[in-house]
Amino acid sequence: MSDQADDWFKRVEYSYMQRFAINCVRAGKLPKHVAFIMDGNRRFAKVKEISRSESYAMGFEKIGEILDYCETFDIRCVSVYAFSVENFKRSEEEQGELFSLFSEKMEYLLGRTDKLQAKGIRINVLGDITLFPAHITKALAQLQLQTLDNSEFFLNLCLAYTTRDEITHSVECMAQGVVAGDLRVTDINETLMDQCMYSEDLPPVDMLLRTSGEVRLSDFMIWQANFAALQFVKVLWPDFGFWHLIGSLLDFQRHEPLISQNRATYKPFLQRMTRAELSAVAHTEHCTLSSHEDCHFNEAISEAYIETHRNRTENFINNLKDERRKLLENCAEITVAGA
């Protein structure tokens, strides 16, 4: 393992001008959750005339640098698009390079869980880790389990991920709940859908940033970023630095009042809509069970139905979390051939 990897946990030393910029930006409102599409590694390799593996390794080191910047700005939740489901269509040679890098870097992080614990970093992997070779699946599961109780900083590695896959997985979970009798079809709504996503416990994305100059989202956290400020920065990921982030944060602050206003308006609207839908279901069911003349529906009946719905969905979500924990534990115990 190269000594360069130890830089991942080193603090950045800021210049006078950088400290001045930090103080200026910190005077305004900052995002709580920033998501990065780390684009441009292959182009960086061509420009610098280095191997793809070297460029990808530099991209990994860049994550550590970005985490330090985000900690400076008290941004405690960072998501990075590390490997899309679509990336499995790349050549076997390139997949092999990436899997080798994943294996090396997971081994590096597993060997430094003491530093992750000291910084309170929790690592979440969003995506279907079972699609990877067994040794990578095992390492990813172990890394999540060993940092599960940390809560100071959340690093979300989106691996074998797309929004379409995440939504499909969420719908499948709810459908299985209905078949098992843990849910009713009328329990399914936007709030429950959100709780079934890979990102269940995370705050919504406030700023989504893509490097390389490409202006597209590539099926990344579209559900979570519905109110996010979008930043498309014309720099390749390994070259992304402090001043690029400063510019993006300043632009975020320009749009933040409208983002906050839209969120503040939408949340109570969603709550009212959900209550109205549940009340309508309660009315229909109550009057179906009663004769038309005896259908005396009132607020108390509606509230009782909503409370029953709330308890049922909470139990379902708690069971789902337990199942996901058990899946991680099983993956962490996988026997790897040749190990």
Side-chain angles (χ1 to χ4, degrees):
M1 194 83 50
S2 67
D3 293 335
Q4 184 184 10
D6 288 327
D7 291 339
W8 215 73
F9 288 100
K10 287 183 179 178
R11 295 302 305 266
V12 175
E13 295 183 6
Y14 296 108
S15 68
Y16 172 80
M17 285 300 297
Q18 287 176 324
R19 290 196 300 272
F20 177 77
I22 289 168
N23 290 333
C24 291
V25 172
R26 289 187 64 148
K29 194 161 184 180
L30 291 164
K32 294 182 175 65
H33 184 178
V34 177
F36 293 91
I37 300 177
M38 307 181 294
D39 194 19
N41 287 293
R42 290 187 292 180
R43 275 171 280 175
F44 182 84
K46 290 181 180 179
V47 170
K48 300 296 183 181
E49 297 183 340
I50 59 176
S51 68
R52 280 193 309 244
S53 297
E54 289 178 280
S55 181
Y56 285 131
M58 292 174 69
F60 175 81
E61 306 307 331
K62 182 61 63 174
I63 297 174
E65 182 183 325
I66 295 303
L67 292 183
D68 194 86
Y69 294 153
C70 288
E71 184 180 0
T72 298
F73 290 108
D74 202 30
I75 300 168
R76 299 288 173 173
C77 189
V78 173
S79 298
V80 294
Y81 204 4
F83 193 87
S84 163
V85 171
E86 300 299 318
N87 290 153
F88 284 108
K89 297 177 181 178
R90 292 187 179 180
S91 68
E92 290 187 10
E93 178 186 4
E94 186 170 359
Q95 285 188 53
E97 292 173 356
L98 287 167
F99 293 165
S100 177
L101 178 68
F102 291 165
S103 182
E104 177 187 343
K105 300 311 180 184
M106 292 308 105
E107 178 187 342
Y108 160 69
L109 290 174
L110 284 169
R112 289 159 179 79
T113 52
D114 57 331
K115 294 185 177 181
L116 292 171
Q117 302 289 1
K119 283 179 168 284
I121 299 175
R122 175 176 170 177
I123 295 183
N124 300 309
V125 179
L126 311 186
D128 187 355
I129 64 173
T130 63
L131 296 177
F132 288 110
H135 67 287
I136 295 177
T137 298
K138 181 174 184 175
L140 291 171
Q142 290 175 335
L143 191 58
Q144 291 181 86
L145 289 171
Q146 291 188 30
T147 62
L148 199 59
D149 295 328
N150 295 345
S151 58
E152 290 296 314
F153 196 103
F154 296 87
L155 172 60
N156 312 304
L157 303 175
C158 296
L159 294 159
Y161 174 91
T162 62
T163 298
R164 284 174 296 171
D165 178 72
E166 183 178 26
I167 290 175
T168 300
H169 175 77
S170 181
V171 171
E172 287 174 347
C173 288
M174 292 185 292
Q176 290 166 5
V178 172
V179 171
D182 298 326
L183 287 177
R184 300 175 66 177
V185 172
T186 51
D187 290 328
I188 297 174
N189 54 35
E190 182 178 330
T191 301
L192 183 63
M193 178 90 164
D194 194 51
Q195 292 174 314
C196 292
M197 304 288 270
Y198 294 135
S199 58
E200 54 182 286
D201 291 327
L202 302 176
V205 174
D206 298 307
M207 183 174 83
L208 191 153
L209 187 153
R210 182 179 186 133
T211 57
S212 84
E214 292 288 336
V215 183
R216 50 194 171 91
L217 298 179
S218 296
D219 210 358
F220 177 57
M221 300 196 96
I222 296 171
W223 177 275
Q224 297 84 351
N226 61 329
F227 289 114
L230 305 180
Q231 302 287 331
F232 300 99
V233 185
K234 293 183 179 180
V235 62
L236 304 178
W237 173 249
D239 276 334
F240 185 82
F242 174 83
W243 294 108
H244 299 110
L245 182 60
I246 286 287
S248 297
L249 291 174
L250 287 172
D251 195 56
F252 166 81
Q253 290 174 339
R254 186 166 63 89
H255 296 287
E256 190 279 330
L258 182 59
I259 293 172
S260 293
Q261 179 184 340
N262 288 338
R263 278 187 176 155
T265 302
Y266 184 71
K267 187 174 181 179
F269 164 75
L270 179 61
Q271 291 172 341
R272 289 194 305 272
M273 183 175 69
T274 301
R275 287 186 64 86
E277 289 175 349
L278 291 172
S279 183
V281 172
H283 180 272
T284 300
E285 292 188 1
H286 178 75
C287 291
T288 300
L289 294 173
S290 309
S291 65
H292 182 72
E293 294 78 8
D294 296 332
C295 182
H296 302 297
F297 185 77
N298 56 42
E299 186 68 21
I301 295 171
S302 176
E303 287 299 322
Y305 182 88
I306 291 172
E307 182 63 23
T308 302
H309 156 82
R310 184 181 297 112
N311 292 335
R312 188 166 51 241
T313 54
E314 284 180 359
N315 288 335
F316 171 74
I317 291 301
N318 288 334
N319 290 336
L320 179 61
K321 289 181 179 180
D322 289 341
E323 289 174 10
R324 288 177 174 175
R325 172 72 179 261
K326 289 175 184 175
L327 175 62
L328 281 182
E329 291 172 347
N330 290 337
C331 288
E333 298 299 325
I334 290 175
T335 301
V336 179

